[in-house]
Amino acid sequence: MNFEKSFENFVQILSEEEVTSEITPSALADISKEYALRSIVAVVSFAKGADEEGEPDTVISLFGPVPEGEAPAYYFKNEMAGKRIVTYNIYLLGDKRWTEEEYKSFSVIIDILSFHLERYLLNGIVKESTFIQYLTRLPNAGGFLAFAGRLFEEERIQDYNSFYFNLKSFGLVSRRFGITEGDEIMKRYAKKLREFCEQDEIVAHLGGDNFTALIKKDRTNDFLELLSGIEVYGIKNDKEEPITISAVAGVYSVDDSLKEPGQLISRAGMACSYAKNVANKPYVFVNKAMSTKIYRQKQIEERYEEALNNDEFRIYLQPKVDTVTGEIVGAEALARWFCNGIVLYPTEFVPILEQEGLVATLDLYVLKKACEYIRSWQDKGIPIVPVSVNFSRRDLGYKHLAKEIAQIIDDYGIDRKFIQIEVTETASEDERGLMTTFLKKLKDMDISTAIDDFGTGFSSLSTLRDFPVKVIKIDRSFISNDNLNKNDEIVLKNIVAMARELGIDVVTEGVERTEQTDFLKEVGCHVVQGFLYDNPMPMDDFEKRLEKKYYEN
């Protein structure tokens, strides 16, 4: 067979088939005779600066055996996409050497071979990307589930613990070093994780600062110790700075209740969420009580929007009473969720709604209901008292919240003086700035405001000075002692005196005993709210109380 025919066969076979070590021997069979080929070995390596720099070379036998410890007769180098370099090592029969013309013509063959090999390798990268996280080169969720699936089929999965872990404050690292260097720090962290794993273990990167892992049970303590603090470094101003990256983890000890590999992530993830948001611990193992709590939280998240649309929330009113006259002088609107026959109280659902950024819609719903009640009293000729509505600190970031509150009040055609907006004091400087702006906007709109749970924060005195509020509500903790003493009296008397001098009214919450009202009268606080007078009640019951106007002293 002449060279032209050999070359034609070579090109045709490569064009019809994907380049692999199985197909190239037949493509090169005829040409090998023309060039006395014994072996062609492709070595794929990564150029300096590539994300995979330092990883082992990939050796692909394209024709003949791979010689051990023998220098090639010739070699050709080609650069490929992804900062890959392919070196083609050529081994010839006997002591054969090419002429200059043969060398030039074979370089054309290498160019064609390289084109097809690059296509093959790029296809491999695409397939690999299905299972590899692009930044850290760790397996992604798909790679993790594929690995777990094999263990599941081999019935070895119960030898492992499943981990889900989230890096603590990695956003601060990125802000400190910049996004580009932050990515490099993440790669260094991932490398340390990879180095810990044995061949039959896996750590996967789910994206962002979330990871999952399957580690053999007898190495669990070692892995938890590793997660407590991994030493890496970041480069800033051309200098290396040490960084310790810690993680919060959830651990699921795999047992026979596992039905499919996806539960490895969901169960460990549930424990991680519990460790981070409930237990405030570095790690938590899955247990039944935690599963129940997290399941309840998930139900609340998933059902909230539907419940709001279906009017499952009921607004109760708790009277505020002047202890001197017994007169009802106001009320606080409080939400109750009637969920499938069960009454949920704010302490159960509000923190979850705050965490998920949903609480503003509930606060505005309560405001609308309060305005609806006031409008009803106005139409019926029932004496109206101001109603206070709580707004979460998480709402303060909404730019037009104050304007929306005013609009809702005006839409119901009621005087703005009958609505009071309550917020809880804060020690956070960022939140204090937002709160001051929010309260000032409401004041400028002639809407009364109150600080709830006064005295529980770290900056109560500056709150009196800085926040433009009409009312402070003394937290129940100030009067909860069984025996109220002289110190309690001194503290409260001075708070009340300072508030009065600043033109701020005072209400005390959580009043349950007559001796508490007597004590509060002594210190000059006459307006109270608590079970001593009434529990929060439905609007119809409150309306009856309001018609009577007074409690018996």
Side-chain angles (χ1 to χ4, degrees), residues 421-434:
I421 303 301
E422 292 187 15
V423 290
T424 304
E425 66 171 320
T426 177
S428 162
E429 284 302 319
D430 290 341
E431 285 185 349
R432 286 181 70 83
L434 289 171

Side-chain angles (χ1 to χ4, degrees), residues 277-482:
N277 300 313
V278 181
N280 195 28
K281 293 181 177 179
Y283 62 87
V284 164
F285 280 76
V286 172
N287 60 62
K288 188 174 181 180
M290 179 198 63
S291 298
T292 301
K293 189 176 182 71
I294 296 295
Y295 177 71
R296 184 67 165 273
Q297 178 173 330
K298 188 176 180 182
Q299 277 188 313
I300 287 173
E301 292 172 16
E302 291 177 349
R303 284 229 55 242
Y304 168 67
E305 296 288 353
E306 179 187 353
L308 201 61
N309 292 332
N310 292 342
D311 283 332
E312 292 181 20
F313 288 90
R314 298 285 182 271
I315 308 308
Y316 280 37
L317 297 166
Q318 186 173 35
K320 297 175 184 176
V321 182
D322 185 323
T323 57
V324 175
T325 64
E327 181 183 6
I328 297 175
V329 294
E332 180 178 1
L334 300 163
R336 301 288 184 266
W337 184 355
F338 286 76
C339 181
N340 299 324
I342 300 172
V343 181
L344 301 180
Y345 292 86
T347 51
E348 296 177 78
F349 57 82
V350 166
I352 295 168
L353 298 182
E354 286 182 326
Q355 181 181 315
E356 297 301 314
L358 299 170
V359 73
T361 54
L362 177 63
D363 293 341
L364 291 170
Y365 176 86
V366 176
L367 174 63
K368 289 174 184 177
K369 285 294 183 180
C371 291
E372 182 183 307
Y373 293 167
I374 293 170
R375 179 70 204 192
S376 173
W377 302 334
Q378 184 174 296
D379 293 343
K380 293 176 183 178
I382 297 173
I384 301 173
V385 294
V387 177
S388 61
V389 178
N390 288 285
F391 273 77
S392 169
R393 293 201 299 261
R394 296 294 180 91
D395 300 340
L396 299 179
Y398 292 95
K399 187 176 180 181
H400 301 296
L401 180 60
K403 186 177 179 181
E404 189 168 352
I405 289 170
Q407 187 63 56
I408 289 171
I409 298 170
D410 293 345
D411 286 346
Y412 279 90
I414 62 177
D415 196 313
R416 293 182 181 182
K417 69 181 181 181
F418 292 124
I419 287 293
Q420 186 175 93
I421 303 301
E422 292 187 15
V423 290
T424 304
E425 66 171 320
T426 177
S428 162
E429 284 302 319
D430 290 341
E431 285 185 349
R432 286 181 70 83
L434 289 171
M435 189 178 291
T436 301
T437 301
F438 175 63
L439 294 173
K440 187 177 186 306
K441 285 179 180 178
L442 291 176
K443 183 180 181 181
D444 292 343
M445 294 174 177
D446 296 321
I447 298 172
S448 175
T449 56
I451 293 294
D452 196 16
D453 300 333
F454 182 85
T456 58
F458 296 101
S459 52
S460 296
L461 293 180
S462 62
T463 296
L464 285 176
R465 180 192 65 198
D466 298 337
F467 289 165
V469 293
K470 178 75 168 61
V471 177
I472 59 170
K473 297 184 73 176
I474 303 294
D475 186 70
R476 66 182 66 236
S477 60
F478 278 88
I479 57 167
S480 59
N481 291 338
D482 290 337

Side-chain angles (χ1 to χ4, degrees), residues 53 186 260 364 444:
E53 181 185 357
M186 182 69 82
E260 51 89 18
L364 291 170
D444 292 343

Side-chain angles (χ1 to χ4, degrees), residues 254-272:
V254 183
D255 54 26
D256 57 10
S257 70
L258 185 75
K259 302 303 179 189
E260 51 89 18
Q263 291 176 321
L264 295 167
I265 297 177
S266 61
R267 293 182 180 183
M270 177 178 65
C272 181

Side-chain angles (χ1 to χ4, degrees), residues 187-204:
K187 291 177 191 176
R188 294 173 197 128
Y189 179 80
K191 185 179 179 183
K192 293 287 184 76
L193 294 174
R194 188 185 294 111
E195 289 170 351
F196 174 88
C197 287
E198 295 184 347
Q199 190 172 0
D200 52 354
E201 296 174 329
I202 187 172
V203 174

